[in-house]
Amino acid sequence: MSSTEELRHTALDALHRSLGATMTDFAGWDMPLRYGSERDEHNAVRTKAGLFDLSHMGEITVTGPEAAQLLNYALVGDIASVRVGRARYTMICRADGGILDDLIVYRLAETEYMVVANASNAQVVLDALTERAAGFDAEVRDDRDAYALIAVQGPQSPGILKSLTDADLDGLKYYAGLPGTVAGVPALIARTGYTGEDGFELFVKPEHAVELWQALTKAGEAVGLAPCGLSCRDTLRLEAGMPLYGHELSTSLTPFDAGLGRVVKFEKEGDFVGREALAAAASRASENPPRVLVGLVAEGRRVPRAGYPVVAGGEVIGEVTSGAPSPTLGKPIAMAYVDAAHSAPGTAGVGVDIRGSHEPYEVVALPFYKRQK
């Protein structure tokens, strides 16, 4: 982003500042990094509830008689098989199989879908979908300015939301969404989440965002709801072993390289962008396993960062993609791509090269943290 471009602001910008948030440039948006202690915010989500402004995410609406066929062609998943009211995690890839972005697609009606892209890739995804729509009886619409997105995450989130809505939250499954009213505000209520906890995402008109945030804050006061920034969102998703575009996912990796080949549905009807390259990648992966995404837990106190080499026996065997202190485990943790030969949990002799010093790490299976159902 050039210095001449102004940062975009969410509808909650003034409210974040009134709460004393430390703001940061994230994908061209001025977003709250933290309000106070990121450790306290992280722990609030794990034990009580946290409130997030996610209005920087990119909403793209796809409508029309051939909306399902367009999305099946443009994305690697079988979107036509998603039932109305449900959502699916999927990816959009280049013709060479490289990942352009990972997405959540909601089927809102028979011929209407909402594609939610990462903020950093929203324009890329919009451009790709628009280009791939040629020849389909479907419309691709940029709805980034039509929504504010507020998430409430954590074990207390169902109770908080139930006090503000008569929508059937008990019947709302994981990876589903339903229209409803929350604190008098019309909303699409979704249950997807990116923290490892139960929780909800509320898509509302920007002019209703402040009113809704304040109602949720008041409803959650008695149970310890805390406003949360992007910093604790990152440590929460890291503990939950969830990939972040630009770290675990990129155009230089196919879904098979990322260990997420399951999202590619070769059995669906018709061609899709990247099919040939992804079939070749799947074949390579079965014959010669690519590097595997694993968890690493520090034996010491030094924190690994993205890009640090993973070593064993004096050789570089991989690279850290994300690393941070884990408030839940009380130790530094990392996700890393490592050679298949060193990917089994408990593999001995693995370390991370932190500024020339080889610090010992334990290889563990992901995720680091799994909530008790």
Side-chain angles (χ1 to χ4, degrees), residues 24-373:
T24 188
D25 172 0
F26 184 81
W29 290 81
D30 206 12
M31 297 296 293
L33 187 64
R34 69 181 74 82
Y35 297 86
S37 155
E38 52 202 52
R39 177 180 290 271
D40 289 348
E41 291 172 25
H42 179 109
N43 290 334
V45 176
R46 284 278 178 260
T47 60
K48 299 164 189 167
L51 194 57
F52 296 85
D53 178 9
L54 304 180
S55 303
H56 60 311
M57 300 295 281
E59 296 88 3
I60 300 161
T61 303
V62 180
T63 57
E66 294 186 335
Q69 292 95 315
L70 161 58
L71 289 170
N72 261 18
Y73 169 71
L75 312 179
V76 301
D78 185 0
I79 308 305
S81 68
V82 178
R83 297 196 307 277
V84 173
R86 299 306 302 265
R88 183 154 296 167
Y89 176 78
T90 187
M91 293 181 183
I92 183 167
C93 290
R94 302 191 306 195
D96 67 0
I99 302 166
L100 283 172
D101 200 15
D102 61 335
L103 312 162
I104 295 178
V105 180
Y106 296 89
R107 190 169 197 167
L108 304 180
E110 196 59 38
T111 59
E112 183 182 4
Y113 295 81
M114 181 168 67
V115 177
V116 182
N118 286 296
S120 56
N121 296 327
Q123 190 63 48
V124 169
V125 173
L126 177 67
D127 291 345
L129 286 175
T130 303
E131 184 186 320
R132 295 174 189 186
F136 289 94
D137 187 3
E139 181 198 348
V140 176
R141 188 173 72 233
D142 180 0
D143 269 348
R144 283 177 286 180
D145 293 334
Y147 292 102
L149 177 55
I150 296 172
V152 54
Q153 294 275 306
Q156 296 286 350
S157 58
I160 293 168
L161 204 55
K162 277 180 185 175
S163 72
L164 297 173
T165 184
D166 55 9
D168 179 16
L169 298 186
D170 291 334
L172 184 64
K173 295 184 170 68
Y174 190 51
Y175 267 76
L178 84 168
T181 303
V182 181
V185 170
L188 171 68
I189 305 166
R191 198 173 205 162
T192 52
Y194 191 57
T195 62
E197 298 299 335
D198 191 11
F200 304 87
E201 296 73 46
L202 307 170
F203 294 87
V204 300
K205 288 181 176 177
E207 58 264 33
H208 294 148
V210 171
E211 176 189 349
L212 180 58
W213 180 283
Q214 289 173 335
L216 287 162
T217 299
K218 191 175 178 186
E221 210 169 13
V223 293
L225 174 77
C228 294
L230 292 178
S231 187
C232 84
R233 185 169 158 83
D234 192 48
T235 52
L236 288 160
R237 71 92 195 166
L238 176 56
E239 287 184 351
M242 293 176 169
L244 176 64
Y245 195 90
H247 288 257
E248 288 71 42
L249 308 173
S250 71
T251 51
S252 63
L253 296 171
T254 72
F256 294 95
D257 297 322
L260 291 164
R262 65 181 181 276
V263 305
V264 182
K265 303 301 181 187
F266 292 115
E267 67 277 13
K268 66 179 174 177
E269 280 185 37
D271 195 16
F272 63 91
V273 177
R275 178 190 274 274
E276 202 175 310
L278 289 168
S283 175
R284 283 196 306 273
S286 64
E287 291 165 19
N288 183 21
R291 283 184 166 177
V292 179
L293 188 65
V294 300
L296 298 174
V297 178
E299 293 180 20
R301 307 304 306 168
R302 297 186 73 185
V303 179
R305 298 296 181 195
Y308 284 10
V310 181
V311 293
E315 300 287 320
V316 173
I317 58 150
E319 186 176 294
V320 171
T321 54
S322 297
S326 164
T328 305
L329 275 64
K331 298 176 179 179
I333 60 172
M335 286 200 281
Y337 282 111
V338 302
D339 294 345
H342 294 87
S343 64
T347 300
V350 173
V352 175
D353 185 339
I354 301 181
R355 299 191 186 92
S357 170
H358 290 191
E359 302 288 328
Y361 274 75
E362 181 190 357
V363 178
V364 300
L366 291 169
F368 299 96
Y369 166 85
K370 207 166 191 174
R371 71 182 170 98
Q372 302 299 309
K373 299 279 171 117

Side-chain angles (χ1 to χ4, degrees), residues 14-25:
L15 192 148
H16 297 316
R17 293 170 197 281
S18 74
L19 292 171
T22 299
M23 307 296 285
T24 188
D25 172 0

